Amino acid sequence: MFNYIRMKRNEWKVRAALYGAAAAVIDNQREVLALVQKLYTALKDVPAEELRDELVSRLAELVHND
């Protein structure tokens, strides 16, 4: 009986750690998605020839502001 209780307690610890890691990954993805959305709105009207230079400058600007 004591072994069962210890096993369950350890199981809860592992689940809590896994759920915490999953929550951190999801939060990180939200930040990346928000950054991509900002870049898209800033660069949607830029011609293809200037896109690379403008992408680098806008990305640096957004990162600096955040």
Side-chain angles (χ1 to χ4, degrees):
M1 186 68 183
F2 290 114
N3 287 335
Y4 179 77
I5 293 171
R6 284 187 203 126
M7 180 188 71
K8 282 298 182 180
R9 190 170 125 220
N10 290 333
E11 181 181 327
W12 293 336
K13 286 180 185 179
V14 170
R15 282 187 183 183
L18 288 176
Y19 292 155
V25 167
I26 290 170
D27 287 341
N28 189 21
Q29 294 298 326
R30 285 186 190 152
E31 293 173 6
V32 170
L33 183 60
L35 178 64
V36 169
Q37 287 175 340
K38 287 179 186 177
L39 278 174
Y40 175 75
T41 57
L43 298 173
K44 65 182 177 182
D45 297 328
V46 176
E49 296 83 24
E50 301 172 5
L51 188 60
R52 180 176 177 225
D53 296 331
E54 194 68 26
L55 175 69
V56 171
S57 66
R58 293 289 178 141
L59 181 60
E61 179 182 319
L62 287 172
V63 169
H64 180 69
N65 288 341
D66 287 343

